[in-house]
Amino acid sequence: MKEDDIHTEKISYKGKDFYCSLAFALHLIGDKYKSLIIYHLKDGPMRSGELQKSITDISNRMFTYSIRALENDNLVERKVYPVTPPRVEYALTGIGKSLVPIILELNKWGQDFAGEHHLYAPGE
Amino acid sequence: MKEDDIHTEKISYKGKDFYCSLAFALHLIGDKYKSLIIYHLKDGPMRSGELQKSITDISNRMFTYSIRALENDNLVERKVYPVTPPRVEYALTGIGKSLVPIILELNKWGQDFAGEHHLYAPGE
DNA sequence: CCGCATCCAGCATGATACTG
DNA sequence: CAGTATCATGCTGGATGCGG
């Protein structure tokens, strides 16, 4: 069995089936926001509001939805401090951290693409 | 400027603004299907129908939408042979090919995750 | 004041049927 | 065979409100 072969085996996870590990991985992090959340947590835990604000153009609804999904998939850990005002922190788990290098490469790829196509806004 | 810093510069592309290169990269390939399409093209050109069939659970509508987007972003090349019945082939461009290693890593990550959690369907 | 659940309108998606 | 049109449906964003 080649490591690269996408058709290795079928994966079942929480009642859903995936025909390859890439489809499975994309189910876990392949949407508009989850990777961004993981990226912004790469340097350590962040407060909920701080994290949400760091991600431009995410609605409160999608932030809650995405962070819950990441939590349920064990990529992110949620820690609640019973204080007033409430304080909630999120941090990457071990598995979550293992994604950071891949996300960094994707980030780098985006930089290169933007650089080659001269997409950086002038004067910024 | 650190290479890793997500807040390097703002990117403008086809009338849309992105606050970091990762958000830009995710705009290009960060959805459920685009990465899968690129993956399946990694070994060379494929016919349209063949490519679509290789991706389980994609609707015709989303296949067309996704492949058009990849084409417009210069990640995939479309080649039409004027024969009857029509023959259309898709192939990765240079930039598209540069994404393959990253996608392979993500695939590998999904394999590892699934392996650790014993998600592979038995008897498969 | 912080975190987040709920509500509704608008948009994107899937299934099907159809054209060249 | 490749791709488009249409419609019903489900999801998403933004506003609002509630509990701690």
Side-chain angles (χ1 to χ4, degrees):
Chain A
M1 174 172 90
K2 286 189 306 180
E3 286 243 314
D4 284 357
D5 192 2
I6 201 170
H7 300 294
T8 42
E9 304 178 47
K10 201 178 71 176
I11 293 175
S12 294
Y13 182 67
K14 298 189 177 177
K16 289 181 182 175
D17 291 338
F18 303 92
Y19 70 101
C20 74
S21 46
L22 180 57
F24 172 60
L26 289 170
H27 168 75
L28 294 180
I29 59 143
D31 68 25
K32 209 172 164 188
Y33 301 114
K34 288 180 186 173
S35 304
L36 284 171
I37 291 177
I38 292 173
Y39 185 94
H40 282 273
L41 285 174
K42 77 180 165 59
D43 294 324
M46 289 179 76
R47 290 193 62 168
S48 181
E50 184 190 9
L51 177 58
Q52 182 172 347
K53 262 178 288 179
S54 74
I55 300 169
T56 307
D57 291 331
I58 189 173
S59 66
N60 177 272
R61 189 182 198 286
M62 285 313 291
F63 176 74
T64 303
Y65 171 84
S66 303
I67 200 88
R68 287 278 178 285
L70 290 171
E71 197 189 343
N72 287 330
D73 294 331
N74 271 303
L75 300 175
V76 161
E77 228 170 20
R78 183 171 186 262
K79 204 168 178 180
V80 181
Y81 299 83
V83 294
T84 306
R87 178 185 184 91
V88 176
E89 283 190 358
Y90 294 103
L92 294 180
T93 63
I95 302 177
K97 283 176 189 166
S98 71
L99 265 170
V100 171
I102 300 177
I103 292 175
L104 285 179
E105 280 186 62
L106 190 58
N107 184 41
K108 177 83 166 48
W109 180 86
Q111 281 180 21
D112 292 346
F113 188 106
E116 286 177 22
H117 292 250
H118 307 291
L119 302 178
Y120 285 110
E124 184 74 30
Chain B
M1 175 171 92
K2 287 191 305 182
E3 285 240 316
D4 285 357
D5 191 3
I6 202 169
H7 300 295
T8 41
E9 303 181 48
K10 203 179 68 176
I11 293 174
S12 295
Y13 181 66
K14 298 189 176 177
K16 289 180 184 177
D17 292 338
F18 303 92
Y19 70 100
C20 72
S21 45
L22 179 57
F24 173 61
L26 290 171
H27 169 74
L28 295 180
I29 59 144
D31 68 27
K32 210 172 164 187
Y33 301 113
K34 289 180 187 172
S35 303
L36 283 171
I37 291 177
I38 292 173
Y39 185 94
H40 283 273
L41 284 174
K42 76 182 166 61
D43 294 323
M46 291 178 74
R47 289 193 63 167
S48 181
E50 183 190 10
L51 177 58
Q52 183 172 345
K53 262 179 289 181
S54 74
I55 300 169
T56 307
D57 291 331
I58 190 174
S59 66
N60 179 275
R61 179 185 169 77
M62 282 315 289
F63 175 74
T64 302
Y65 172 84
S66 302
I67 201 86
R68 286 280 177 284
L70 289 171
E71 198 190 344
N72 286 331
D73 295 332
N74 270 302
L75 300 176
V76 161
E77 227 171 20
R78 183 171 184 262
K79 202 168 179 181
V80 181
Y81 299 84
V83 294
T84 305
R87 178 185 185 91
V88 176
E89 283 188 356
Y90 294 102
L92 293 180
T93 63
I95 303 179
K97 284 176 188 166
S98 70
L99 265 171
V100 171
I102 299 176
I103 292 175
L104 286 178
E105 280 186 61
L106 192 57
N107 185 39
K108 178 83 165 45
W109 181 87
Q111 281 181 22
D112 293 345
F113 188 105
E116 286 177 21
H117 292 251
H118 308 292
L119 303 178
Y120 285 111
E124 182 75 28

